[in-house]
Amino acid sequence: MTSAVFVLNGPNLNLLGKRQPHIYGTETLADVEEQCREQAAAHGLAIRFHQSNWEGQIIDWIHEARDAGSAIIINPGAFTHTSVAILDALNAFDGPVFEVHISNVHKRESFRHHSYVSLRADGVIAGFGTQGYLLALQRAANRIEAARAQTDTA
Ligand code: DQA
């Protein structure tokens, strides 16, 4: 089975493009998915792109990635700031994890300044708009390529 990059989105991100466009922009999550698919294909990578408003569903996808994922890119939405359970699930995943926030959370309310997910993430991108997903995907592709090159020479 080809290992995929999991791109996981948390609560309210289904409303991307409609909710608070002055903060999150006008692109929809479908637009983001299309751009991620294009970039992943250019790198020869499969992706699994998901969104859920349910914490348990996100945890189940992280568990799936243990067997089927080469990297996780996650925008956990508000669960970023609350979910020890998502942190625990990510800690049970061995590959690279990249945390993405469309807005610059550090410029916003103080409750958004703390992230449980950052305790596990290998990299964090915030405030680059939806382009942050593509930057994270680029980094994931580089990490996967480097890991492959190492296995080939081992
Ligand atoms: C967000 C930032 C979070 O604080 C917020 O709860 C979100 C979106 C972002 O992408 O900027 O839902 O993760």
Side-chain angles (χ1 to χ4, degrees):
M1 184 176 24
T2 319
S3 197
V5 176
F6 279 56
V7 184
L8 303 179
N9 294 280
N12 300 305
L13 287 161
N14 53 313
L15 296 180
L16 195 62
K18 293 177 207 139
R19 114 170 135 138
Q20 298 180 285
H22 57 291
I23 296 177
Y24 298 113
T26 52
E27 274 181 327
T28 66
L29 198 62
D31 295 331
V32 175
E33 177 171 359
E34 196 184 314
Q35 290 163 21
C36 285
R37 287 195 183 283
E38 265 173 34
Q39 184 168 316
H43 287 290
L45 294 172
I47 61 167
R48 296 218 202 151
F49 194 101
H50 296 299
Q51 186 277 331
S52 179
N53 295 325
W54 296 85
E55 190 174 12
Q57 174 62 82
I58 294 165
I59 291 165
D60 285 347
W61 285 324
I62 295 169
H63 292 177
E64 267 177 41
R66 281 165 51 80
D67 291 325
S70 47
I72 295 176
I73 294 169
I74 184 165
N75 181 348
F79 291 148
T80 307
H81 320 297
T82 62
S83 182
V84 175
I86 288 178
L87 170 63
D88 283 351
L90 290 169
N91 277 332
F93 173 75
D94 287 335
V97 173
F98 302 107
E99 177 182 350
V100 172
H101 299 287
I102 297 165
S103 65
N104 180 0
V105 283
H106 300 290
K107 208 179 163 186
R108 299 180 65 192
E109 303 96 322
S110 58
F111 65 82
R112 295 185 203 277
H113 298 176
H114 177 262
S115 164
Y116 284 103
V117 170
S118 292
L119 293 168
R120 167 62 181 88
D122 297 291
V124 182
I125 293 174
F128 284 73
T130 52
Q131 202 187 349
Y133 287 85
L134 300 176
L135 297 171
L137 195 51
Q138 174 72 57
R139 179 68 179 155
N142 291 353
R143 286 285 301 265
I144 292 163
E145 185 53 45
R148 268 189 206 141
Q150 252 200 344
T151 329
D152 290 348
T153 55

